[in-house]
Amino acid sequence: MDKHATVYVAGHRGMVGSAIRRYLEQAGYNNLLLRTSAELDLRNQRAVADFFASERPEYVFLAAAKVGGILANNTYRADFIYENLIMETNVIHAAHQYDVKKLLFLGSSCIYPKMAPQPLKEEYLLTGPLESTNEPYAIAKIAGIKLCEAYRDQYSKDFISVMPTNLYGIGDNYHPENSHVLPALIRRFHEAKEAHQSSVTIWGSGTPKREFLYADDLAEACVYLMNYYSERELINVGTGEDLTIKDLAELVKDVVNYSGKLMFDTSKPDGTPRKLMDVSKLHNLGWKHSTSLEKGISKAYQDFLQHTYVER
Ligand SMILES: NC(=O)C1=CN([C@@H]2O[C@H](COP(=O)(O)OP(=O)(O)OC[C@H]3O[C@@H](n4cnc5c(N)ncnc54)[C@H](OP(=O)(O)O)[C@@H]3O)[C@@H](O)[C@H]2O)C=CC1
Ligand SMILES: C[C@H]1O[C@H](OP(=O)(O)OP(=O)(O)OC[C@H]2O[C@@H](n3cnc4c(=O)[nH]c(N)nc43)[C@H](O)[C@@H]2O)[C@@H](O)[C@@H](O)C1=O
């Protein structure tokens, strides 16, 4: 990407979008195109087409989406499939119509079958049933991958699909119900410490395993892939290491310096038992993450303390 190229970061106020914007700005990309959802609702096909027609972006990072944790996914099932389908369809089609040079679509590790062999290789896509709690969202993301493949097949478009593992970091969503596990635990341990609570409740059994990548590392990977990856196949982005939710809770508890007990609410869903990404394809391409989980949690906690945290 030329430093003066017109680069549209869709979802630039989100955790991932803001990290991509930070990375691009510090790398000297000085022609970024940014629109809030109030300025440009990506569910509005006409508004999206008019925006692409008038602004003519050359590169698109599609980091706008309806995003949430396991409970939000399982509660707002229709919203997660409808909003993600319509946003990606509008943006990917407009990118074709108005000759975008390259588009990077962000999926998620939940697209893989619930019981696929671990670690998850890109070729495992569509080889088995999905985890039910986030199936609507996963189907929308799989459709996004297929849209990029189809526009490459029919119109030779350089649209690539990037599959991140669970993410966390600056500007995460700290909503008590809708958030993902890591930000949820940061907030819950912090509030328990402030309120001198004797225990903190963790959802589920604590036995599922998850992999966590710091959002600013993902942003660096996205720019790297925008510059050096143009294959048809999706590509995983992660750390290649995972841990149990119980061990994650112990880690967050230590970072927040909370000294109470952990309780487990098994009425809440565990979701997929494990979804460790095979990141050998990405490593062979020449990129590897740099922020350790402990360092990243400390940075996220500092961000939580220093800024008015976001609830989405
Ligand atoms: N967080 C995670 O753990 C993971 C996220 N991902 C993927 O990464 C991408 C970004 O996720 P994340 O940064 O966490 O999400 P956030 O919820 O932090 O940000 C989502 C962004 O999407 C924008 N958006 C939502 N609806 C609309 C709309 N109708 N029109 C225009 N913009 C809209 C919002 O814009 P505004 O602020 O202006 O309203 C917001 O900036 C998504 O594709 C997600 O699926 C993948 C794996 C894990
Ligand atoms: C990125 C990924 O994120 C989601 O899938 P998920 O990884 O299952 O998401 P999660 O972070 O919400 O849960 C991980 C695990 O953690 C446990 N857990 C404990 N305590 C809390 C808690 O307080 N909040 C939450 N949310 N989970 C908790 C929870 O019970 C589960 O076992 C989907 O969006 C999916 O589509 C997707 O793409």
Side-chain angles (χ1 to χ4, degrees):
M1 275 190 303
D2 180 89
K3 294 290 173 66
H4 307 299
T6 308
V7 182
Y8 172 37
V9 181
H12 75 281
R13 292 197 308 183
M15 175 174 68
V16 173
S18 56
I20 291 173
R21 177 190 182 178
R22 265 197 305 278
Y23 187 87
L24 289 169
E25 284 173 344
Q26 62 82 26
Y29 291 91
N30 54 21
N31 191 7
L32 302 189
L33 212 44
L34 309 169
R35 290 293 184 280
T36 66
S37 59
E39 291 165 334
L40 177 60
D41 183 341
L42 295 175
R43 295 170 299 185
N44 179 331
Q45 186 178 42
R46 168 52 54 211
V48 172
D50 291 348
F51 168 73
F52 273 77
S54 63
E55 302 299 332
R56 301 286 171 151
E58 295 168 84
Y59 297 88
V60 177
F61 291 91
L62 182 42
K66 172 74 176 171
V67 183
I70 190 166
L71 205 58
N73 265 270
N74 202 32
T75 305
Y76 309 107
R77 297 176 71 85
D79 299 346
F80 273 87
I81 188 164
Y82 164 69
E83 295 197 26
N84 286 306
L85 274 180
I86 198 160
M87 281 194 260
E88 69 198 20
T89 305
N90 289 343
V91 172
I92 291 167
H93 186 69
H96 152 59
Q97 273 185 309
Y98 297 99
D99 298 319
V100 162
K101 283 197 181 109
K102 191 165 183 180
L103 174 142
L104 183 151
F105 168 70
L106 280 169
S108 165
S109 58
C110 71
I111 57 154
Y112 292 109
K114 175 169 186 166
M115 303 312 286
Q118 306 284 323
L120 298 164
K121 290 183 180 302
E122 288 87 354
E123 69 225 38
Y124 295 168
L125 179 65
L126 291 174
T127 58
L130 300 166
E131 155 62 28
S132 62
T133 53
N134 53 47
E135 186 184 69
Y137 173 76
I139 292 287
K141 289 298 185 181
I142 292 169
I145 294 165
K146 292 302 169 185
L147 275 164
C148 292
E149 286 177 0
Y151 279 77
R152 179 181 293 273
D153 297 343
Q154 185 173 346
Y155 299 111
S156 307
K157 294 299 174 183
D158 192 4
F159 295 174
I160 60 173
S161 293
V162 173
M163 298 302 120
T165 189
N166 290 50
L167 304 168
Y168 70 100
I170 310 295
D172 206 342
N173 174 8
Y174 286 93
H175 189 284
E177 299 297 316
N178 297 339
S179 58
H180 287 97
V181 60
L182 204 154
L185 294 180
I186 285 176
R187 178 170 176 176
R188 199 165 305 142
F189 280 124
H190 175 78
E191 290 177 346
K193 181 176 77 173
E194 297 294 289
H196 307 291
Q197 278 174 327
S198 61
S199 69
V200 159
T201 300
I202 316 291
W203 296 357
S205 66
T207 59
K209 297 188 85 175
R210 291 291 184 274
E211 174 186 10
F212 297 95
L213 177 67
Y214 190 60
D216 283 83
D217 285 5
L218 173 73
E220 183 188 59
C222 287
V223 176
Y224 188 84
L225 293 168
M226 184 68 97
N227 281 319
Y228 302 111
Y229 186 73
S230 285
E231 303 299 319
R232 184 177 189 274
E233 190 184 53
L234 61 162
I235 184 164
N236 291 339
V237 181
T239 63
E241 300 145 15
D242 62 356
L243 75 170
T244 64
I245 295 303
K246 181 177 185 303
D247 288 345
L248 173 75
E250 295 290 353
L251 201 50
V252 176
K253 178 173 177 271
D254 292 346
V255 168
V256 172
N257 194 23
Y258 170 70
S259 57
K261 279 181 14 188
L262 301 189
M263 312 287 280
F264 292 87
D265 172 4
T266 51
S267 74
K268 291 283 193 322
D270 270 344
T272 304
R274 194 179 188 203
K275 45 182 175 178
L276 175 66
M277 305 277 251
D278 180 315
V279 285
S280 49
K281 185 170 165 184
L282 179 64
H283 287 178
N284 293 337
L285 205 60
W287 186 87
K288 198 172 173 358
H289 75 286
S290 54
T291 307
S292 70
L293 184 55
E294 193 154 18
K295 180 86 183 143
I297 296 173
S298 298
K299 287 181 174 183
Y301 185 41
Q302 287 314 308
D303 174 59
F304 173 83
L305 294 174
Q306 285 159 12
H307 303 101
T308 313
Y309 55 77
V310 170
E311 285 188 355
R312 291 192 187 88

